[in-house]
Amino acid sequence: MNNRRHVHAVEWHSDKLVLLDQRKLPLEEVYVICQSVRQAVDAIKNMTVRGAPAIGITAAYACSLAARERLKETNHNNRLSLEASLRKDFEMLKAARPTAVNLVWAVERAQQVVDKNTAILDLPHELLRLAREIHEDDIENNYKMAELACQELSKTAGKPFSIITHCNAGSLATGGYGTALGVARLAWQQKLIDKVYADETRPWFQGARLTAWELMYDNVPVCLNVDSAAAWLMSNRTIKWVIVGADRIAANGDVANKIGTFQLAIAAKYHDVKVMVVAPSSTVDLSLESGDSIEIEMRDSSELTEFRGFPLAAEGVETINPVFDVTPARLIDVIVTEKGVIERPTRDKMLWTLS
Ligand code: MRU
């Protein structure tokens, strides 16, 4: 792969967790430094860092921060009390955001390190080793998924076509190249696509602020549209695929992703446009039979009624702000993970590829 340049949402530098502050992009490139688990929890909650794999990686580093902090406390003179404190920290991390399973997945892996009787003094180091492994695997998985997805896209006959993406599933949402945007980057290099249409992604504008910025940074042609233009684009432009990431995928292939993905998939079905979901296996939750039991995060109404302090809506209006939705498996043509491609996902195919 010749283009491995990308922005870094999460980094570990000089024993500190460094996060690119995504609330400020694209106007300012500012970094937030976390030296405690509490700071990392706040950064996940307030969206300094966001995107399912990126919050999983952040949580993994935060587990090492937690161990370091707890060891410095004098009251932990025995293993049991240290473990009890760490368990509380880990629970606090898992609860920071409810929908993306990568967060829980990463913290549970950290818990396994604690449970296997790692010497107390080695815990910060061992947990850091795990976090680095999770981070590096995510980077490699992004490349694998991009290769697999492009093999799939290359089966689409005819001239280069355009794709629509929703939210931000790029470098800013992962450890590296991106999931959906990793595919877009490679598909552009391979001349399979001519343009990425980026839904602006209300209410947080991940598409306008992050996806457009990231793709422009890499010189991938990108055109910004309002979310409600998607059906019009499918009728009036050569869109052949919708390509998105995911926050949690149930065992039957139902996909939770940014609010608006479901209606995009419905519009795609009507227009014979195919839908591809690109996500590492850490986003798959085989413990859930279907997407019905995925918890959907509800966020503050101020995300709808104002933007950066500027009022947008009638004062006092009632609002509802679910920030994810579930797209049923029957609307999805392909799920791409680093473990393989699942066409028209069903429970059997998911289990065959992923377990
Ligand atoms: O609320 P966000 O910005 O964390 O939501 C992110 C998404 O919905 C992404 O599409 C998903 O996490 C996949 S990122 C590779």
Side-chain angles (χ1 to χ4, degrees), residues 14-47:
S14 319
D15 282 336
K16 294 179 189 92
L17 176 61
V18 182
L19 303 173
L20 175 55
D21 191 343
Q22 302 194 31
R23 299 166 303 173
K24 305 256 166 66
L25 288 172
L27 302 180
E28 288 174 72
E29 231 176 289
V30 178
Y31 291 83
V32 169
I33 293 173
C34 300
Q35 300 194 68
S36 70
V37 63
R38 184 74 251 176
Q39 286 170 329
V41 168
D42 289 344
I44 293 170
K45 281 190 175 172
N46 69 26
M47 313 261 289

Short mmCIF file of all heavy atoms in Angstrom, two decimals, residues 14-47:
data_model
loop_
_atom_site.label_atom_id
_atom_site.label_comp_id
_atom_site.label_asym_id
_atom_site.label_seq_id
_atom_site.Cartn_x
_atom_site.Cartn_y
_atom_site.Cartn_z
N SER A 14 5.46 9.78 25.59
CA SER A 14 6.10 10.07 26.87
C SER A 14 5.18 9.74 28.06
O SER A 14 4.91 10.60 28.92
CB SER A 14 6.50 11.54 26.98
OG SER A 14 7.01 12.02 25.79
N ASP A 15 4.67 8.53 28.06
CA ASP A 15 3.81 8.06 29.15
C ASP A 15 2.50 8.80 29.30
O ASP A 15 1.90 8.81 30.38
CB ASP A 15 4.57 8.11 30.50
CG ASP A 15 5.51 6.93 30.61
OD1 ASP A 15 5.25 5.92 29.94
OD2 ASP A 15 6.50 7.04 31.35
N LYS A 16 2.08 9.47 28.23
CA LYS A 16 0.79 10.18 28.30
C LYS A 16 -0.07 9.80 27.09
O LYS A 16 0.46 9.50 26.02
CB LYS A 16 1.02 11.69 28.25
CG LYS A 16 1.75 12.22 29.45
CD LYS A 16 1.96 13.72 29.30
CE LYS A 16 2.88 14.23 30.38
NZ LYS A 16 4.28 14.26 30.01
N LEU A 17 -1.37 9.84 27.32
CA LEU A 17 -2.32 9.60 26.23
C LEU A 17 -2.63 10.94 25.57
O LEU A 17 -3.05 11.89 26.24
CB LEU A 17 -3.59 8.96 26.82
CG LEU A 17 -4.75 8.70 25.90
CD1 LEU A 17 -4.38 7.74 24.78
CD2 LEU A 17 -5.92 8.11 26.71
N VAL A 18 -2.42 11.01 24.26
CA VAL A 18 -2.58 12.28 23.54
C VAL A 18 -3.71 12.11 22.52
O VAL A 18 -3.65 11.22 21.67
CB VAL A 18 -1.26 12.68 22.84
CG1 VAL A 18 -1.42 14.03 22.14
CG2 VAL A 18 -0.10 12.72 23.82
N LEU A 19 -4.72 12.95 22.64
CA LEU A 19 -5.89 12.85 21.76
C LEU A 19 -6.03 14.12 20.94
O LEU A 19 -5.97 15.23 21.48
CB LEU A 19 -7.16 12.66 22.61
CG LEU A 19 -7.18 11.47 23.57
CD1 LEU A 19 -8.41 11.53 24.46
CD2 LEU A 19 -7.14 10.16 22.78
N LEU A 20 -6.25 13.94 19.64
CA LEU A 20 -6.55 15.09 18.79
C LEU A 20 -7.99 15.52 19.13
O LEU A 20 -8.91 14.70 19.08
CB LEU A 20 -6.43 14.67 17.32
CG LEU A 20 -6.82 15.67 16.25
CD1 LEU A 20 -6.06 17.00 16.41
CD2 LEU A 20 -6.56 15.10 14.86
N ASP A 21 -8.16 16.77 19.49
CA ASP A 21 -9.48 17.23 19.95
C ASP A 21 -10.43 17.42 18.77
O ASP A 21 -10.39 18.43 18.06
CB ASP A 21 -9.33 18.55 20.74
CG ASP A 21 -10.62 18.91 21.45
OD1 ASP A 21 -11.68 18.36 21.10
OD2 ASP A 21 -10.55 19.75 22.37
N GLN A 22 -11.32 16.41 18.58
CA GLN A 22 -12.18 16.41 17.40
C GLN A 22 -13.33 17.41 17.51
O GLN A 22 -14.01 17.70 16.53
CB GLN A 22 -12.69 15.00 17.13
CG GLN A 22 -11.52 14.05 16.93
CD GLN A 22 -11.88 12.72 16.33
OE1 GLN A 22 -12.83 12.60 15.55
NE2 GLN A 22 -11.14 11.70 16.68
N ARG A 23 -13.52 17.97 18.71
CA ARG A 23 -14.57 18.99 18.86
C ARG A 23 -14.14 20.27 18.17
O ARG A 23 -14.97 21.08 17.78
CB ARG A 23 -14.82 19.29 20.35
CG ARG A 23 -15.29 18.08 21.14
CD ARG A 23 -15.19 18.31 22.61
NE ARG A 23 -13.85 18.66 23.04
CZ ARG A 23 -13.50 19.05 24.26
NH1 ARG A 23 -14.43 19.12 25.18
NH2 ARG A 23 -12.26 19.34 24.55
N LYS A 24 -12.84 20.46 18.02
CA LYS A 24 -12.33 21.73 17.49
C LYS A 24 -12.08 21.68 15.99
O LYS A 24 -11.90 22.73 15.36
CB LYS A 24 -11.01 22.07 18.20
CG LYS A 24 -11.10 22.11 19.72
CD LYS A 24 -11.12 23.55 20.20
CE LYS A 24 -11.55 23.70 21.64
NZ LYS A 24 -10.63 23.14 22.60
N LEU A 25 -12.02 20.47 15.43
CA LEU A 25 -11.74 20.37 13.99
C LEU A 25 -12.93 20.86 13.18
O LEU A 25 -14.06 20.76 13.63
CB LEU A 25 -11.46 18.89 13.63
CG LEU A 25 -10.13 18.34 14.12
CD1 LEU A 25 -10.07 16.83 13.86
CD2 LEU A 25 -8.95 19.01 13.42
N PRO A 26 -12.75 21.38 11.99
CA PRO A 26 -11.48 21.55 11.28
C PRO A 26 -10.83 22.91 11.53
O PRO A 26 -9.83 23.22 10.89
CB PRO A 26 -11.90 21.43 9.82
CG PRO A 26 -13.26 22.04 9.80
CD PRO A 26 -13.89 21.76 11.13
N LEU A 27 -11.38 23.68 12.47
CA LEU A 27 -10.88 25.05 12.64
C LEU A 27 -9.53 25.06 13.34
O LEU A 27 -8.66 25.87 13.00
CB LEU A 27 -11.90 25.89 13.45
CG LEU A 27 -13.30 25.99 12.84
CD1 LEU A 27 -14.21 26.83 13.71
CD2 LEU A 27 -13.23 26.59 11.43
N GLU A 28 -9.36 24.17 14.31
CA GLU A 28 -8.10 24.17 15.07
C GLU A 28 -7.61 22.74 15.25
O GLU A 28 -8.43 21.84 15.49
CB GLU A 28 -8.34 24.71 16.49
CG GLU A 28 -8.59 26.18 16.61
CD GLU A 28 -8.97 26.50 18.06
OE1 GLU A 28 -8.09 26.47 18.93
OE2 GLU A 28 -10.16 26.75 18.30
N GLU A 29 -6.31 22.55 15.17
CA GLU A 29 -5.72 21.24 15.46
C GLU A 29 -5.09 21.30 16.84
O GLU A 29 -3.96 21.73 17.00
CB GLU A 29 -4.66 20.94 14.40
CG GLU A 29 -4.84 19.60 13.76
CD GLU A 29 -3.85 19.36 12.65
OE1 GLU A 29 -3.99 20.03 11.59
OE2 GLU A 29 -2.94 18.55 12.83
N VAL A 30 -5.87 20.88 17.84
CA VAL A 30 -5.44 21.01 19.23
C VAL A 30 -5.40 19.62 19.85
O VAL A 30 -6.25 18.78 19.54
CB VAL A 30 -6.47 21.89 20.01
CG1 VAL A 30 -6.08 22.00 21.48
CG2 VAL A 30 -6.58 23.25 19.39
N TYR A 31 -4.44 19.37 20.71
CA TYR A 31 -4.32 18.05 21.34
C TYR A 31 -4.66 18.13 22.83
O TYR A 31 -4.32 19.12 23.48
CB TYR A 31 -2.91 17.48 21.13
CG TYR A 31 -2.70 17.13 19.67
CD1 TYR A 31 -2.32 18.12 18.75
CD2 TYR A 31 -2.97 15.86 19.19
CE1 TYR A 31 -2.18 17.82 17.40
CE2 TYR A 31 -2.84 15.55 17.85
CZ TYR A 31 -2.44 16.54 16.95
OH TYR A 31 -2.32 16.24 15.62
N VAL A 32 -5.34 17.11 23.33
CA VAL A 32 -5.70 17.03 24.74
C VAL A 32 -4.85 15.91 25.36
O VAL A 32 -4.76 14.82 24.79
CB VAL A 32 -7.20 16.70 24.89
CG1 VAL A 32 -7.55 16.34 26.32
CG2 VAL A 32 -8.05 17.87 24.40
N ILE A 33 -4.23 16.20 26.48
CA ILE A 33 -3.38 15.20 27.12
C ILE A 33 -4.11 14.59 28.32
O ILE A 33 -4.65 15.32 29.16
CB ILE A 33 -2.06 15.85 27.58
CG1 ILE A 33 -1.29 16.26 26.31
CG2 ILE A 33 -1.22 14.91 28.44
CD1 ILE A 33 -0.07 17.05 26.56
N CYS A 34 -4.16 13.26 28.36
CA CYS A 34 -4.82 12.59 29.49
C CYS A 34 -3.76 11.87 30.32
O CYS A 34 -3.01 11.05 29.79
CB CYS A 34 -5.81 11.54 29.00
SG CYS A 34 -7.11 12.21 27.98
N GLN A 35 -3.75 12.16 31.60
CA GLN A 35 -2.81 11.48 32.48
C GLN A 35 -3.53 10.67 33.54
O GLN A 35 -2.91 10.08 34.42
CB GLN A 35 -1.89 12.51 33.15
CG GLN A 35 -1.10 13.27 32.12
CD GLN A 35 0.04 14.03 32.73
OE1 GLN A 35 0.99 13.43 33.21
NE2 GLN A 35 -0.06 15.34 32.75
N SER A 36 -4.86 10.69 33.47
CA SER A 36 -5.64 9.90 34.44
C SER A 36 -6.81 9.24 33.72
O SER A 36 -7.23 9.69 32.64
CB SER A 36 -6.18 10.82 35.55
OG SER A 36 -7.19 11.64 35.01
N VAL A 37 -7.31 8.19 34.35
CA VAL A 37 -8.44 7.48 33.74
C VAL A 37 -9.66 8.41 33.67
O VAL A 37 -10.42 8.40 32.70
CB VAL A 37 -8.73 6.16 34.50
CG1 VAL A 37 -9.13 6.40 35.92
CG2 VAL A 37 -9.78 5.35 33.80
N ARG A 38 -9.83 9.26 34.66
CA ARG A 38 -10.97 10.19 34.69
C ARG A 38 -10.94 11.13 33.47
O ARG A 38 -11.95 11.38 32.82
CB ARG A 38 -10.88 10.99 35.99
CG ARG A 38 -11.97 11.95 36.30
CD ARG A 38 -13.26 11.30 36.74
NE ARG A 38 -14.24 11.44 35.68
CZ ARG A 38 -15.45 10.92 35.71
NH1 ARG A 38 -15.84 10.19 36.71
NH2 ARG A 38 -16.30 11.10 34.72
N GLN A 39 -9.73 11.62 33.17
CA GLN A 39 -9.59 12.51 32.00
C GLN A 39 -9.95 11.76 30.71
O GLN A 39 -10.57 12.32 29.82
CB GLN A 39 -8.16 13.05 31.91
CG GLN A 39 -7.85 14.12 32.95
CD GLN A 39 -6.36 14.44 33.00
OE1 GLN A 39 -5.51 13.60 32.74
NE2 GLN A 39 -6.05 15.68 33.34
N ALA A 40 -9.56 10.49 30.65
CA ALA A 40 -9.87 9.71 29.45
C ALA A 40 -11.38 9.46 29.34
O ALA A 40 -11.96 9.57 28.25
CB ALA A 40 -9.11 8.39 29.47
N VAL A 41 -12.02 9.17 30.47
CA VAL A 41 -13.48 8.97 30.46
C VAL A 41 -14.17 10.25 29.97
O VAL A 41 -15.06 10.21 29.10
CB VAL A 41 -13.99 8.58 31.87
CG1 VAL A 41 -15.51 8.67 31.96
CG2 VAL A 41 -13.52 7.19 32.23
N ASP A 42 -13.74 11.39 30.50
CA ASP A 42 -14.35 12.66 30.08
C ASP A 42 -14.14 12.89 28.58
O ASP A 42 -15.04 13.35 27.88
CB ASP A 42 -13.74 13.83 30.87
CG ASP A 42 -14.21 13.81 32.33
OD1 ASP A 42 -15.20 13.11 32.62
OD2 ASP A 42 -13.58 14.49 33.16
N ALA A 43 -12.95 12.55 28.09
CA ALA A 43 -12.64 12.78 26.67
C ALA A 43 -13.54 11.92 25.78
O ALA A 43 -13.93 12.34 24.68
CB ALA A 43 -11.17 12.49 26.40
N ILE A 44 -13.86 10.71 26.26
CA ILE A 44 -14.76 9.85 25.47
C ILE A 44 -16.18 10.41 25.53
O ILE A 44 -16.87 10.53 24.52
CB ILE A 44 -14.72 8.39 25.98
CG1 ILE A 44 -13.33 7.78 25.72
CG2 ILE A 44 -15.80 7.55 25.32
CD1 ILE A 44 -13.09 6.43 26.40
N LYS A 45 -16.61 10.80 26.73
CA LYS A 45 -17.98 11.32 26.90
C LYS A 45 -18.20 12.60 26.10
O LYS A 45 -19.24 12.80 25.48
CB LYS A 45 -18.25 11.64 28.37
CG LYS A 45 -18.56 10.43 29.19
CD LYS A 45 -19.06 10.85 30.56
CE LYS A 45 -19.46 9.61 31.31
NZ LYS A 45 -19.79 9.78 32.66
N ASN A 46 -17.21 13.51 26.16
CA ASN A 46 -17.45 14.82 25.53
C ASN A 46 -17.02 14.86 24.06
O ASN A 46 -17.04 15.92 23.45
CB ASN A 46 -16.81 15.95 26.35
CG ASN A 46 -15.28 15.91 26.31
OD1 ASN A 46 -14.67 15.39 25.38
ND2 ASN A 46 -14.65 16.47 27.34
N MET A 47 -16.63 13.68 23.53
CA MET A 47 -16.34 13.53 22.10
C MET A 47 -15.03 14.21 21.67
O MET A 47 -14.86 14.48 20.48
CB MET A 47 -17.50 14.01 21.22
CG MET A 47 -18.85 13.52 21.62
SD MET A 47 -19.44 12.11 20.69
CE MET A 47 -19.79 12.80 19.10
#
